[in-house]
């Protein structure tokens, strides 16, 4: 039995119009059917780009936003079915750390008052003195000076503020802490302090984390299990190492290939999967697979019509894609245009970096604009991107290799030629790929 | 100072998040390693410094560091209100405004006791009549001259200040209290009351909108017309006009704060709704209301004067009030312009004082200037 | 002869009624044609102020700018505002972090692009419109004819940044300054934009000054990297040299504190302690000393000089640099 289980969780925000009487004219499908399990004492990392619904999901677990349907089972109780007062009491056991360390602290309360507020609401500590003792203990634990008690949020640095936010959650002795982008607002050197603190606290207090972040590297560092969200649903879920070693969903592959790594050799060598265009509006998500409008492997059948279920492909690796097996085996070719009449982009195009460099090939630019799959989407979901055959330009592997070896050494010839103008050496052509899991 | 820097040092140590003792040791050992490294690299500094570093060790290093570490704003434990006040004090406009207001308040409070003459006694009636309509201007015994009934203008101004202040403050308070009450309820309903709350808020705000859309002076005139001519009428009329302003302002401010992360955090902590409104949302929503209260003291004084000028003010001639005085002076404006100038200037200066202070407060309380 | 050579740039804010604070404290670097140079550092290190100073975009009041910024023979810092306006957009262009607030919200994209073409290239009417469409097309905006008529809010974040880049490259500037161009964007969109910048540099030979806090972006894009701390460059090297052998304790610490996607899980991070607020004045010693694991009393005796303790061209401002126990054999920097 997992400590926290989401089952078919949906959060739809109604779009209202009207002056005196609201009329619902549509919905934003922020979270659209997510099922996942968080084990006690572990960290579940939820990763995705802005607008994928990850923050809404975190808030829905705490019922900070209304749940449209589905269950949030915490320690055997379905939180979605609780009345307000019962839910309020449950919040002691489920706490949250917010993204904006300053914004999430009341600027007019001092630290003692901020930390005591939650304790008072749950009847922790008999009197002021007792609470103060407890607060002092927690402050020391998160690495804040004792004199912080009388100070105000604006008198601390960013990292210290986030420590206050963590302390505020800790004083209630919660079982689960939902960390919504806990480090993204902090400077790089401070991020590591907070990440280490979170890990240290988990170890000593046996906490369970649901970490929500856009930074794949942070999530991978801290999580036992990672779920990847796209447009309101999970597209892939796997143990942290397995996900990194062998991402199976095309979106995860693209996401991972887009994360810059502070290692020039790796940066030069890696294959980049550039996605077309932007995220479709969650108010009008594409039919079928949500990702099919941007997917490099989109197929003629199924993708645009059937929504793939998250299915276990073995060893706890769950993927929501109709074509996992084909992509895995390398039998599916990458397609680049979107929509039903998918034009197959042969590997040959990708192997002509000179052509791509000299200017976009005419058929790539002036090709027929793919029909926007859904009306009302602000930007067309598909973007005829002339720079798509990038792997060749970058000197990466030209064809989608088996997922296990994304860092294969580049073909020396065309790759070098393409880079010549940049005055950059490919350097690592002969070296084996760096440790990739 | 020393204590302050030491404390800063302590804060810094713990910011790193691991035991300071442990790190102190590691600093010590690494420090000496580093010293050797720099010797090897032929650093610019002399070897004497290196030897000193090894000898005095960790304590000396930390002392020296603490000495050199300068933190801006070393003050600690200052709430935002305190900091806003500090900013206010250093604003020249605020100081001028505050001095004007202080003078006005002093005059209003002690004025009636220090008047050289009775403000109502028509002491120089005969002289005025004898002058055949010619105005008696400022002179040794009557600093501001005489009015049309031979009363001492200076005494009347002093006494009138109290009435003016009373009208301004009371009507502002009527507007502030009722407006804030409506605004708080509406703001609380919409931020935390769910669907029903939003409905209530919609209805209340439409009513407020209607009030707001009426020209304020017209509204005041109508109220005064219904309630009859008296000072209370003026105060109520001017106050009621301010209600929608305060209600809208506070509601808007609460709505903005209601969406803030710290309110969400308070909900996540399991704090009860009423307490969220009272301890989280409301204190953070008050800044614009305080500014508006100061500014509307100025408008209240002017509007009260306007109502008195229109003849809706206190009919009792025995109680001088600047607005009434201005109104009475208009009949004699050709002959005796100064009779109008004194109360007019009084009103203008007072209103200006409140406006200056209000604007300075707006700047001081602006969260964007925090930091 | 580099295209841009910045020498001892100093920017001090405040004057009469404010305590002066030095945001940029003697920064020197060069950018050659077709070169990508990175200015890296955390908030408050002076990287953005440097870019604004170079573009002449700092407010005239309350700011003192010192040093030289030689751009092809002219000193950017002493140019008259009129000459600077003429240069800006034509020879120098800038891309900002927030594409929405850098575009005028009430003017269609097309007009904003043609405005630049009119101002600097004298193009008007139909030719200007055509050129604008071509520019949008070049930065990968589909259906440029329609997009020209749209307003900034109708475009997505990535699209807006593309539009800004189109405006920046409208006059084929010789130097492009990008101030955190991808920080506001999602990582998949960031990859698209970085690719676009890379292509511009490769094809046009534009010099690019890249200002960012993201070491990953630097590793993939920059030829030469300057790491700034508290207004001074603390380490300057080619990117392979820098990432391979970070020698200043700050750069070393930064690289050790970033969680890496390719690192095995469970490897602990080594954060730098304290925060940017814990610093001492450069005049008294090394500003990083309070956070440094290597500091000695020597660090507190005046500003450390830039030296080359490891390899030629790899300059480090530290008296106790992080060096391997055995001196490395000389390596040619990338």
């Amino acid at each position: 039995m997992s400590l926290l289980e989401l089952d078919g969780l949906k959060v739809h925000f109604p779009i209202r119009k009207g002056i005196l009487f609201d009329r619902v004219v549509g919905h934003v499908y922020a979270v659209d059917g997510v099922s996942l399990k968080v084990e006690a004492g572990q960290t579940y990392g939820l990763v995705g780009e802005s607008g994928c619904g990850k923050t809404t999901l975190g808030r829905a677990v705490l019922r900070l936003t209304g749940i449209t349907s589905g269950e949030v089972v915490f320690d055997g109780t379905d939180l979605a079915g609780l009345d307000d007062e019962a839910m309020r009491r449950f919040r002691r056991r489920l706490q949250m750390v917010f993204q904006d360390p300053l914004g999430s602290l009341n600027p007019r309360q001092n630290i003692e008052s901020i930390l005591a507020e939650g304790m008072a609401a749950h009847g922790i500590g008999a009197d002021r003195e007792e609470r103060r003792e407890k607060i002092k203990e927690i402050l020391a634990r998160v690495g804040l000076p004792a004199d912080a008690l009388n100070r105000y949020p604006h008198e601390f640095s960013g990292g210290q503020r986030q420590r206050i936010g963590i302390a505020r959650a800790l004083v209630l002795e919660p079982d689960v802490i939902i960390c919504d982008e806990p480090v993204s607002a902090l400077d790089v050197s401070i991020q590591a302090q907070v990440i280490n603190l979170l890990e240290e606290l988990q170890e000593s207090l046996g906490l369970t984390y649901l970490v929500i972040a856009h930074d794949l590297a942070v999530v991978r560092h801290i999580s036992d299990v990672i779920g990847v969200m796209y447009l309101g649903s999970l597209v892939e879920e796997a143990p942290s190492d397995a996900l990194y070693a062998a991402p199976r969903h095309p979106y995860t592959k693209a996401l991972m290939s887009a994360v810059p790594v502070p290692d020039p050799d790796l940066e030069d060598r890696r294959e980049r999967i550039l996605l077309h265009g932007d995220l479709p509006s969650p108010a009008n998500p594409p039919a079928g697979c949500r990702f099919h409008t941007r997917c490099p492997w989109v197929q003629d059948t199924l993708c645009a019509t059937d929504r793939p279920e998250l299915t276990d492909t073995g060893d706890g690796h769950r993927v929501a894609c109709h074509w996992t097996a084909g992509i895995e085996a390398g039998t599916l070719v990458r397609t680049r245009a979107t929509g039903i009449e998918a034009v197959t982009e042969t590997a040959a195009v990708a192997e002509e970096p000179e052509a791509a460099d000299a200017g976009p090939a005419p058929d790539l630019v002036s090709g027929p604009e793919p029909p926007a799959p859904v009306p009302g989407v602000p930007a067309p979901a598909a973007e005829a991107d002339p720079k798509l055959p990038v792997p060749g330009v970058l000197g990466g592997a030209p064809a989608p290799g088996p997922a296990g070896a994304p860092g294969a050494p580049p073909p020396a010839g065309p790759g070098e030629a393409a880079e010549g103008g940049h005055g950059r050496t490919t350097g690592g052509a002969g070296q084996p790929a760096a440790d990739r899991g | 100072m020393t204590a302050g820097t030491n404390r800063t040092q302590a804060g810094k140590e713990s910011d790193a998040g691991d035991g300071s003792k442990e790190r102190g040791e590691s600093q010590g050992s690494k420090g000496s390693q580093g010293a050797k490294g720099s010797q090897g690299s032929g650093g610019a500094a002399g070897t004497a410094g290196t030897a000193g570093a090894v000898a005095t060790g960790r304590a000396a290093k930390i002392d020296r560091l603490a000495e050199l570490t300068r933190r801006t704003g070393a003050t600690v434990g200052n709430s935002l209100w305190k900091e806003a006040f500090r900013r206010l004090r250093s604003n020249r406009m605020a100081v001028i405004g505050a001095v004007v207001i202080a003078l006005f308040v002093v005059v209003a409070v002690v004025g009636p006791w220090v008047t050289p003459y009775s403000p109502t006694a028509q002491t120089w009636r005969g002289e005025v009549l004898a002058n055949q309509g010619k105005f008696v201007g400022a002179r040794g015994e009557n600093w501001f001259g005489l009015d049309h009934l031979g009363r001492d203008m200076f005494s009347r101004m002093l006494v009138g200040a109290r009435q003016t202040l009373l009208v301004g403050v009371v009507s502002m308070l009527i507007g502030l209290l009722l407006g804030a009450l409506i605004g708080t309820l509406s703001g609380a309903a919409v931020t935390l009351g769910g669907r029903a709350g939003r409905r209530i808020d919609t209805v209340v705000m439409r009513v407020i909108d209607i009030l707001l859309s009426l020209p304020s002076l017209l509204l005041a005139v109508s109220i005064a017309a219904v309630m009859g001519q008296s000072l209370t009428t003026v105060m109520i009329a001017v106050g009621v006009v301010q209600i929608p302003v305060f209600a809208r302002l506070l509601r808007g401010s609460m709505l903005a704060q209601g969406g803030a992360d710290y309110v969400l955090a308070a909900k996540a902590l399991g704090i009860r709704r009423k307490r969220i409104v009272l301890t989280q949302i409301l204190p953070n929503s008050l800044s614009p209301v305080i500014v508006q209260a100061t500014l509307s003291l100025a408008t209240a004084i002017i509007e009260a004067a306007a109502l008195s000028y229109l003849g809706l003010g206190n009919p009792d001639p025995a109680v001088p009030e600047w607005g009434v005085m201005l109104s009475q002076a208009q009949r004699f404006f050709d002959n005796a312009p100064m009779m109008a100038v004194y109360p007019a200037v009084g009103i203008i200066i007072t209103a200006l004082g409140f406006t200056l202070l209000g604007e300075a407060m707006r700047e001081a309380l602006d969260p964007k200037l925090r930091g | 002869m580099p295209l841009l050579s910045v020498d001892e740039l100093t920017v001090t804010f405040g004057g009469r009624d404010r305590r002066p604070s030095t945001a940029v404290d003697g920064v020197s670097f060069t950018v050659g044609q077709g070169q990508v140079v990175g200015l890296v550092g955390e908030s408050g290190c002076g990287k953005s102020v440097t870019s604004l100073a170079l573009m002449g975009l700092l407010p005239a009041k309350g700011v003192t700018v010192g040093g030289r910024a030689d751009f092809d023979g002219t000193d950017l810092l002493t140019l008259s505002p009129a000459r600077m306006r003429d240069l800006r957009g034509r020879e120098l262009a800038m891309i900002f972090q927030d594409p929405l607030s850098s575009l005028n919200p009430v003017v269609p994209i097309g007009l904003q692009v043609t405005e630049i073409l009119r101002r600097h290239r004298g193009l008007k009417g139909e030719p200007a419109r055509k050129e604008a469409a071509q520019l949008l097309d070049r930065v990968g905006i589909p259906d440029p004819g329609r997009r020209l008529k749209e307003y900034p809010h109708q475009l997505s974040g990535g699209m807006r940044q593309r539009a800004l880049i189109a405006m920046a490259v409208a006059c084929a500037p010789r130097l492009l300054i990008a101030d955190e161009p991808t920080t506001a964007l999602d990582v998949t969109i960031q990859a698209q934009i970085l690719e676009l910048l890379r292509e511009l540099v490769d094809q046009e030979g534009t010099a690019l000054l890249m200002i960012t806090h993201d070491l990953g972006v630097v590793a993939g894009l920059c030829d030469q990297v300057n790491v700034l701390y508290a207004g001074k460059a603390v380490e300057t090297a080619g990117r392979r040299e820098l990432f391979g052998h970070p020698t200043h304790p700050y750069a070393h610490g930064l690289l050790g504190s970033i969680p890496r996607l390719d690192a095995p899980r469970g490897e602990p991070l080594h954060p730098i302690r304290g925060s940017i607020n814990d610093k001492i004045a450069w005049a008294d010693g090394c500003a990083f000393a309070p956070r440094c694991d290597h500091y000695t009393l020597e660090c507190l005796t005046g500003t450390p000089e830039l030296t080359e303790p490891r390899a030629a061209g790899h300059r480090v401002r530290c008296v106790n640099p992080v060096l391997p126990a055995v001196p490395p054999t000389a390596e040619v920097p990338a």
Side-chain angles (χ1 to χ4, degrees):
Chain A
M1 180 80 202
S2 313
L3 184 60
L4 181 65
E5 269 189 59
L6 312 190
D7 188 21
L9 182 70
K10 289 187 183 180
V11 180
H12 298 171
F13 296 116
I15 306 169
R16 293 173 198 280
K17 268 189 182 159
I19 304 157
L20 255 182
F21 301 101
D22 300 338
R23 198 161 44 88
V24 176
V25 293
H27 283 93
V28 174
Y29 300 92
V31 178
D32 203 17
V34 171
S35 305
L36 56 85
K37 293 177 181 170
V38 185
E39 304 296 334
Q42 291 211 331
T43 301
Y44 189 104
L46 203 55
V47 72
E49 298 181 280
S50 54
C52 75
K54 56 187 192 302
T55 294
T56 308
L57 184 139
R59 293 181 180 178
V61 171
L62 273 175
R63 292 252 317 264
L64 293 174
T65 180
I67 293 173
T68 309
S69 69
E71 289 184 353
V72 178
V73 181
F74 169 69
D75 204 8
T77 314
D78 179 15
L79 300 181
L82 293 179
D83 65 53
D84 284 359
E85 177 57 21
M87 183 62 221
R88 190 188 71 75
R89 281 174 214 214
F90 253 101
R91 289 194 177 130
R92 187 191 69 72
R93 300 182 60 192
L94 287 149
Q95 272 302 305
M96 194 152 181
V97 171
F98 293 82
Q99 172 175 17
D100 177 2
L102 183 58
S104 63
L105 300 172
N106 184 347
R108 303 207 186 265
Q109 280 183 312
N110 65 19
I111 304 311
E112 179 176 5
S113 161
I114 286 174
L115 296 190
E117 194 84 59
M119 298 173 82
H122 294 287
I124 302 172
D127 54 15
R128 210 186 143 103
E129 274 313 305
E130 208 178 311
R131 281 187 202 132
R132 181 175 291 169
E133 281 316 304
K134 168 97 181 169
I135 288 170
K136 276 186 183 159
E137 183 197 318
I138 297 286
L139 283 182
R141 183 145 225 165
V142 300
L144 284 169
D147 74 340
L149 278 181
N150 305 317
R151 287 159 67 184
Y152 288 83
H154 63 272
E155 298 173 328
F156 291 90
S157 69
Q160 287 177 318
R161 285 176 197 143
Q162 197 57 300
R163 286 168 198 270
I164 297 167
I166 294 170
R168 176 173 60 181
L170 283 183
V171 287
L172 301 185
E173 296 170 357
D175 301 318
V176 176
I177 297 185
I178 297 168
C179 305
D180 186 3
E181 299 276 9
V183 298
S184 69
L186 305 175
D187 264 332
V188 180
S189 68
I190 310 295
Q191 289 191 358
Q193 295 175 3
V194 172
I195 291 172
N196 278 2
L197 175 66
L198 285 172
E199 287 184 331
E200 196 183 296
L201 291 170
Q202 178 168 45
E203 208 158 289
S204 55
L205 301 173
L207 294 167
T208 306
Y209 290 141
L210 175 59
V211 175
I212 296 163
H214 72 278
D215 189 333
L216 206 51
V218 168
V219 169
R220 170 175 150 75
H221 181 87
I222 202 170
S223 310
D224 299 293
V225 179
I226 297 178
V228 182
M229 269 187 96
Y230 184 80
L231 221 57
S233 48
L234 276 181
V235 295
E236 185 164 2
E237 183 194 76
S240 181
D241 288 330
L243 186 81
Y244 179 72
R248 291 191 182 150
H249 194 280
Y251 177 65
T252 316
K253 286 175 193 278
L255 198 60
M256 268 191 189
S257 81
V259 177
V261 177
D263 180 338
D265 292 329
L266 209 59
E267 275 292 308
D268 286 358
R269 207 184 304 129
R270 70 215 230 115
E271 175 202 25
R272 252 168 256 252
I273 303 169
L274 289 193
L275 293 179
H276 302 232
D278 304 303
L279 195 72
S281 160
N284 218 333
C289 174
R290 297 273 151 103
F291 186 56
H292 84 267
T293 54
R294 297 171 78 196
C295 181
W297 281 276
V298 66
Q299 298 299 310
D300 296 352
T301 52
L302 288 174
C303 289
T305 51
D306 290 29
R307 197 165 162 197
E309 290 288 318
L310 204 58
T311 41
D312 203 324
T313 60
D315 55 320
H317 202 136
R318 299 198 294 161
V319 186
C321 178
H322 298 297
W323 304 98
T324 318
I327 295 172
E328 194 85 348
T331 51
L332 274 187
V333 248
R334 243 187 255 186
T335 53
R336 64 167 296 279
T338 59
I340 315 284
E341 65 290 338
V343 181
T344 328
E345 177 192 298
T346 58
V349 176
E351 275 173 349
E352 286 170 8
E354 291 93 341
D357 248 9
D363 62 317
L364 293 181
V365 179
S366 55
E369 161 96 355
V374 274
V377 177
E383 174 186 344
D385 195 331
K387 280 153 299 302
L388 221 248
V390 176
V393 177
L394 274 177
E416 294 281 10
E419 294 213 326
H422 198 225
R424 185 194 287 171
T425 52
T426 316
Q431 296 168 8
D435 177 26
R436 296 204 120 200
Chain B
M1 183 60 210
T2 323
T5 39
N6 280 343
R7 197 159 48 197
T8 317
Q9 184 65 24
K12 188 164 50 217
E13 295 273 343
S14 30
D15 200 6
D18 40 1
S20 54
K21 196 182 268 175
E22 194 181 295
R23 179 152 24 81
E25 280 159 19
S26 80
Q27 270 171 7
S29 61
K30 277 189 187 154
S32 51
Q33 272 170 17
K36 279 175 210 141
S38 78
Q39 263 178 331
S41 72
T47 45
T50 318
V54 177
T56 46
R58 174 177 158 256
K61 280 202 314 187
I62 290 181
D63 283 352
R64 176 83 179 122
L65 205 56
E67 196 182 306
L68 291 173
T69 306
R70 286 181 205 131
R71 250 199 188 176
T72 48
T75 46
V76 144
N78 282 335
S79 74
L80 288 181
W81 297 120
K82 248 192 218 167
E83 300 218 329
F85 183 66
R86 211 173 46 199
R87 277 196 292 271
L88 198 62
R89 252 190 348 207
S90 60
N91 184 330
R92 206 180 314 154
M93 287 298 125
V95 174
I96 295 174
V99 167
V100 168
I101 293 167
L103 274 176
F104 174 60
V105 170
V106 166
V107 167
V109 171
V110 303
W113 292 302
V114 298
T115 48
Y117 311 101
S118 157
T120 48
Q122 303 176 1
T123 319
W124 292 276
R125 180 103 198 247
E127 190 182 339
V128 171
L129 286 176
N131 255 354
Q132 291 291 334
K134 257 185 95 183
F135 180 69
V136 180
R139 59 184 184 185
E141 48 186 324
N142 307 107
W143 290 357
F144 287 0
L146 302 175
D147 74 352
H148 60 292
L149 294 174
R151 295 176 293 199
D152 179 42
M153 278 293 284
F154 183 65
S155 304
R156 287 180 67 74
M157 282 296 290
L158 286 187
V159 176
R162 177 180 283 191
Q163 294 297 316
T164 307
L165 182 67
L166 196 67
V167 172
V169 168
V170 170
S171 51
M172 183 272 284
L173 282 179
I174 291 173
L176 174 67
L177 294 179
L178 290 177
L181 189 69
I182 296 171
T184 307
L185 291 178
S186 213
V190 78
T191 43
L192 296 169
R195 207 132 188 225
R198 276 202 300 274
R199 287 260 159 83
I200 295 170
D201 169 70
T202 308
V203 174
V204 172
M205 277 303 125
R206 285 306 88 85
V207 173
I208 291 289
D209 281 348
I210 292 168
L211 275 178
L212 207 55
S213 68
L214 295 173
S216 57
L217 204 58
L218 192 69
L219 188 65
V221 169
S222 326
I223 293 171
V226 172
M227 293 187 54
Q229 206 182 355
S230 79
L231 195 63
T232 324
T233 303
V234 172
M235 293 194 284
I236 291 175
V238 174
V240 165
V241 166
Q242 308 267 10
I243 291 176
V245 177
F246 282 108
R248 268 235 163 251
L249 194 66
L250 187 58
R251 173 186 174 271
S253 181
M254 283 180 71
L255 246 58
Q257 296 297 329
D261 266 3
Y262 65 85
V263 174
L264 198 70
K267 276 187 219 170
L269 280 177
I271 297 170
R272 290 185 179 81
R273 283 183 202 174
K274 212 158 88 186
R275 217 172 142 70
I276 292 181
V277 171
L278 291 179
T279 67
Q280 311 283 319
I281 302 180
L282 208 51
N284 284 290
S285 310
L286 287 179
S287 303
V289 176
I290 292 170
V291 172
Q292 182 60 36
T294 318
L295 292 175
S296 68
L297 263 174
T299 28
I301 287 170
I302 293 172
E303 285 202 355
L307 287 186
S308 304
Y309 183 83
L310 291 175
L312 296 163
N314 192 356
D316 184 359
V319 187
E321 196 267 337
W322 291 355
V324 181
M325 287 165 69
L326 195 61
S327 154
Q328 287 166 346
Q330 68 171 328
R331 280 189 286 146
F332 310 99
F333 194 74
D334 286 344
N335 293 330
M338 290 315 279
M339 238 176 97
V341 167
Y342 291 123
V345 167
I347 290 169
I348 290 169
I349 288 179
T350 314
L352 195 68
F354 282 114
T355 309
L356 281 180
L357 185 67
E359 291 294 341
M361 270 163 69
R362 191 199 302 279
E363 266 174 46
L365 289 167
D366 190 340
K368 267 174 271 171
L369 297 171
R370 244 180 239 168
Chain C
M1 175 75 191
L3 181 65
L4 173 74
S5 103
V6 176
D7 191 27
E8 287 295 314
L9 176 71
T10 313
V11 181
T12 307
F13 287 95
R16 250 181 331 111
D17 39 346
R18 266 208 307 161
R19 210 154 49 89
S21 72
T22 304
V24 181
D25 195 357
V27 167
S28 309
F29 60 90
T30 61
V31 188
Q33 199 171 354
Q35 206 186 15
V36 184
V37 172
L39 292 185
V40 201
E42 299 178 280
S43 53
C45 73
K47 55 190 193 301
S48 287
V49 177
T50 302
S51 68
L52 292 176
L54 293 178
M55 290 295 285
L57 292 174
L58 288 171
K61 261 193 178 171
V63 183
T64 324
V65 180
R68 262 185 78 81
D70 197 282
F71 178 73
D72 199 22
T74 43
D75 184 5
L76 293 177
L77 304 181
T78 53
L79 274 186
S80 71
R83 280 274 295 131
M84 193 67 216
R85 268 200 300 278
D86 194 45
L87 215 57
R88 223 166 25 214
R90 196 158 51 83
E91 305 257 309
L92 297 166
M94 187 154 176
I95 308 167
F96 295 89
Q97 174 176 354
D98 181 2
L100 186 57
S101 59
S102 315
L103 289 164
N104 186 339
V106 296
V107 176
I109 297 289
L111 215 58
Q112 303 193 39
V113 180
T114 48
E115 166 71 19
I116 295 171
L117 295 172
R118 192 183 57 76
R119 167 89 170 76
H120 290 295
R121 284 168 61 181
L123 285 176
K124 271 182 228 160
E126 191 53 28
R129 210 199 57 78
K130 264 200 184 131
E131 179 67 25
Q134 243 170 41
L135 278 166
L136 291 197
D137 186 68
R138 198 170 126 216
V139 296
I141 295 181
D143 196 6
R146 184 165 60 88
R147 292 291 179 192
L148 281 177
K149 297 192 193 82
E150 293 192 339
Y151 291 87
H153 69 92
Q154 291 170 296
L155 305 184
S156 68
M159 229 37 118
R160 281 181 213 128
Q161 195 56 288
R162 279 167 194 265
L164 266 188
I165 294 176
M167 288 162 67
V169 301
C171 304
R174 287 195 286 166
L175 174 67
L176 194 59
I177 300 178
D179 186 357
E180 303 268 8
T182 58
T183 306
L185 303 175
D186 273 323
V187 60
T188 55
I189 309 296
Q190 162 172 293
Q192 296 173 354
I193 298 295
L194 291 179
E195 202 49 53
L196 176 61
L197 288 175
R198 214 172 266 137
E199 213 180 68
L200 277 172
V201 172
D202 285 349
Q203 289 174 11
E204 312 287 330
T206 313
L208 176 63
L209 179 60
M210 183 80 182
I211 290 155
T212 179
H213 71 279
D214 190 332
L215 286 166
V217 169
V218 173
L221 191 65
C222 300
D223 302 313
Q224 189 76 16
V225 187
N226 299 281
V227 182
L228 303 190
Y229 189 81
K232 263 195 193 307
V234 294
E235 185 158 0
T236 301
R239 71 177 169 140
R240 276 169 204 288
E241 173 71 16
L242 182 82
F243 285 94
H245 313 281
T247 303
H248 192 282
Y250 174 62
H252 191 260
L254 265 190
L255 280 167
S257 65
I258 305 173
R260 283 178 60 159
L261 197 53
D262 55 329
R265 181 178 141 71
E267 199 162 273
L269 300 176
H270 305 284
I272 303 174
R273 69 163 170 276
S275 74
I276 189 81
N277 295 336
D278 307 313
K279 64 178 176 202
I280 58 178
W282 276 111
D284 294 330
C286 175
F288 184 62
R291 303 177 67 190
C292 186
D293 281 335
H294 297 257
Y295 88 94
T296 58
L297 273 182
E298 228 181 314
C299 301
L300 309 177
T301 52
T303 316
E305 293 297 318
L306 275 174
T307 56
E308 298 187 350
R310 227 199 76 85
H314 184 164
R315 285 178 296 165
V316 183
R317 190 184 296 282
C318 183
V319 291
N320 299 316
V322 187
L323 292 171
V326 184
T329 49
E331 268 177 50
V332 185

